[in-house]
Amino acid sequence: CGFEPIFLGYSRCVLKPKTTEEVAKILAFCNNNRIAVCPQGGNTGLVGGSVPVFDEIVLCTSQMNTIYSINDTSGVLVCQAGCILENLDKALEEHGLMMPLDLGAKGSCHIGGNLSTNAGGLRLLRYGNLHGTVLGLEAVKADGEIIDLLSTLKKDNTGFHLKHLFIGSEGALGVVTKVAIQCPAKPKATNLAFLGLESFSHILKVLKKAKGDLGEILASCEMIDQSTLDVCTCNLKLKSPLAEFPFYMLIETHGSSDAHDQEKLNLFLEDVMLSKLILDGIVTNEPSKMKNIWDLRERITEGFVRDGYVFKYDISLPIEHFYSLVPVMRERLAGTEGIVRVSGYGHLGDGNVHFQVSCKQFSNEILHQIEPFVYEYTSKLRGSISAEHGIGFRKPKYIHYSKSPESIVIMKELKKMFDPNGILNPYKVLPM
Ligand SMILES: O=C(O)CC[C@@H](O)C(=O)O
Ligand SMILES: [Zn+2]
């Protein structure tokens, strides 16, 4: 999982059920025999949630890949949990639809894993997170009981909204087996701007202006700092269409009329150029050019790996502080041997920064200079210590930096209720 050696897993048994009933039988057996289970989708997570760290049985959803229905009119897709995100997108394309979420791992991540981790990704700014787009789901509790919450309705206020308990609980309360999700129309027009900027204060101004001027067509707003872009250009040898600048922004628009969208985008770009908010920029709607630009963003994770060891932090902060941790940490780590780069990039439009410190190899000394400082810093600003990657195996002992003692107690009570024997993803998500 991910690229961090601490997540090397071990398991003697991988089970690949095809149906919900098979999942139910496996869990009932494991529950009765007190056998720990690690639910696993595409195993693309970054916090070790899908890794069997203590010889758990792996319950892998890769054989559960049936699409049951796609409704052209309502836009509702119903499928099994093991469908690969990119395959769903391709299937929807024939119906003029697309998945509401998109992430770098789309070629291997499973929709069930996406739900279980409440995956965010690159177009959350426009289409919202899975708590909004998932209409219903089916899940199996630790004791094998099947919970049918597979509504396809947009509106349903009959009682408690139980589906939300399974979205983002990282397989600790149950295994998601089926999904009903609201899919938007595939945009007829997509345009992508790649901008070079001089400072983070300019980025904030451009973000505000993009929200105001592009309004309903704004779909993504990502930022990358220069040292992060270097992992793509130097480590992966990707080509950037712009010269070097301290910061970059990717702004994608989705709309129904190319002429209308381009007019808006061009006016916006003219303004930000004239007012010197940006230093340079290009805009394109050519699929191959858009792909090359998106590669500079989507392949960052892969690029960082080539530095050696990467300390990764996935943080939500109030927007004015989005980048503030980077200079603070650069100062804190100045002169420390073995550091390759201290960088920040990520989902600017959602206030979610991916803060990374890469070094030639893992070092305890560097780790202790970063942690718990990074969590304390985030907590003081009332940010989240895990904005989209979850808690997994990596962060249970830090959850208190983002959650109050009272809410941790409620989470533990819920866990006891859903999984009294603690067989589902033990030692993950919740602190001991
Ligand atoms: O590698 C990471 O830390 C971030 C991965 C992913 O969330 C992204 O936004 O590219
Ligand atoms: Zn991300």
Side-chain angles (χ1 to χ4, degrees):
C1 161
F3 304 98
E4 307 195 18
I6 57 164
F7 298 143
L8 277 182
Y10 175 76
S11 176
R12 280 172 291 179
C13 178
V14 179
L15 298 175
K16 297 185 171 182
K18 288 198 167 113
T19 63
T20 304
E21 290 66 34
E22 285 177 9
V23 172
K25 276 190 193 151
I26 291 169
L27 289 181
F29 179 85
C30 291
N31 191 49
N32 290 336
N33 293 282
R34 309 289 194 270
I35 298 170
V37 177
C38 173
Q40 188 180 85
N43 202 15
T44 58
L46 294 164
V47 287
S50 56
V51 180
V53 268
F54 298 106
D55 194 20
E56 300 92 315
I57 280 186
V58 175
L59 197 165
C60 174
T61 51
S62 62
Q63 303 284 313
M64 302 178 71
N65 47 26
T66 303
I67 296 178
Y68 296 112
S69 61
I70 297 174
N71 186 314
D72 299 12
T73 314
S74 66
V76 179
L77 160 81
V78 183
C79 67
Q80 271 187 309
C83 293
I84 290 175
L85 181 61
E86 193 167 54
N87 294 348
L88 292 175
D89 228 2
K90 282 186 191 140
L92 287 163
E93 203 173 341
E94 292 166 28
H95 299 260
L97 300 166
M98 70 173 188
M99 287 301 280
L101 77 161
D102 181 30
L103 34 143
K106 60 185 153 239
S108 33
C109 64
H110 295 185
I111 189 66
N114 296 149
L115 256 70
S116 301
T117 55
N118 187 26
L122 302 162
R123 48 173 92 126
L124 186 141
L125 172 67
R126 168 71 171 276
Y127 302 98
N129 75 22
L130 290 163
H131 284 288
T133 50
V134 169
L135 300 174
L137 57 83
E138 178 193 75
V140 183
K141 273 175 47 218
D143 62 2
E145 190 173 63
I146 299 168
I147 315 286
D148 180 358
L149 302 165
L150 200 63
S151 166
T152 56
L153 307 170
K154 228 175 154 154
K155 299 180 82 170
D156 175 17
N157 276 347
T158 50
F160 300 167
H161 292 226
L162 295 178
K163 68 180 175 195
H164 294 298
L165 287 174
F166 297 98
I167 301 173
S169 50
E170 302 180 55
L173 300 182
V175 177
V176 173
T177 44
K178 287 180 190 158
V179 177
I181 188 162
Q182 177 74 60
C183 302
K186 191 174 168 64
K188 293 201 174 89
T190 299
N191 284 276
L192 179 62
F194 187 53
L195 316 174
L197 302 95
E198 165 182 304
S199 70
F200 185 71
S201 65
H202 286 153
I203 286 202
L204 287 181
K205 288 185 182 135
V206 174
L207 169 66
K208 185 172 173 204
K209 196 166 165 52
K211 285 186 184 173
D213 291 8
L214 302 174
E216 76 291 351
I217 61 169
L218 182 62
S220 284
C221 190
E222 299 283 311
M223 73 78 80
I224 308 176
D225 69 5
Q226 175 60 53
S227 78
T228 300
L229 195 79
D230 284 348
V231 304
C232 290
T233 51
C234 305
N235 293 2
L236 301 178
K237 309 285 174 233
L238 301 181
K239 291 253 167 318
S240 167
L242 297 182
E244 289 203 352
F245 297 104
F247 295 94
Y248 303 89
M249 284 176 85
L250 277 87
I251 295 181
E252 185 164 280
T253 60
H254 290 172
S256 54
S257 152
D258 215 17
H260 166 269
D261 295 1
Q262 277 185 26
E263 191 186 328
K264 272 192 161 179
L265 199 50
N266 288 335
L267 271 175
F268 162 77
L269 287 174
E270 247 174 65
D271 271 5
V272 287
M273 198 82 179
L274 278 174
S275 52
K276 302 224 175 339
L277 286 177
I278 67 166
L279 299 172
D280 198 3
I282 61 151
V283 59
T284 179
N285 62 1
E286 268 181 55
S288 65
K289 287 194 180 146
M290 289 198 289
K291 183 181 178 309
N292 290 344
I293 296 172
W294 271 118
D295 274 353
L296 293 170
R297 169 64 186 83
E298 291 187 22
R299 294 184 62 189
I300 290 171
T301 304
E302 181 192 342
F304 262 108
V305 176
R306 311 253 171 128
D307 277 350
Y309 186 86
V310 194
F311 293 96
K312 284 170 175 294
Y313 302 91
D314 163 40
I315 288 167
S316 270
L317 288 169
I319 197 68
E320 315 73 51
H321 290 281
F322 183 89
Y323 194 71
S324 61
L325 190 53
V326 178
V328 167
M329 197 57 89
R330 279 185 183 151
E331 206 180 311
R332 199 176 156 85
L333 292 172
T336 307
E337 222 173 283
I339 304 269
V340 180
R341 71 189 90 233
V342 180
S343 317
Y345 70 98
H347 315 290
L348 178 77
D350 310 318
N352 171 197
V353 65
H354 292 311
F355 168 70
Q356 324 248 336
V357 178
S358 65
C359 29
K360 289 183 194 126
Q361 60 204 27
F362 176 81
S363 142
N364 255 319
E365 190 207 327
I366 297 175
L367 173 68
H368 292 127
Q369 288 197 58
I370 306 172
E371 297 182 20
F373 176 83
V374 67
Y375 298 125
E376 288 163 0
Y377 185 92
T378 306
S379 184
K380 269 188 206 136
L381 292 167
R382 293 190 66 87
S384 169
I385 60 137
S386 188
E388 62 172 359
H389 298 163
I391 296 290
F393 182 59
R394 171 93 171 83
K395 297 182 186 165
K397 63 177 187 229
Y398 305 114
I399 196 171
H400 65 277
Y401 285 105
S402 283
K403 286 285 178 291
S404 67
E406 297 75 20
S407 48
I408 294 172
V409 168
I410 295 175
M411 285 189 226
K412 285 185 170 173
E413 283 169 0
L414 282 168
K415 171 74 176 167
K416 251 196 205 124
M417 190 177 136
F418 279 77
D419 179 16
N421 297 332
I423 64 155
L424 284 174
N425 250 350
Y427 314 107
K428 292 174 186 159
V429 192
L430 293 170
M432 297 301 284

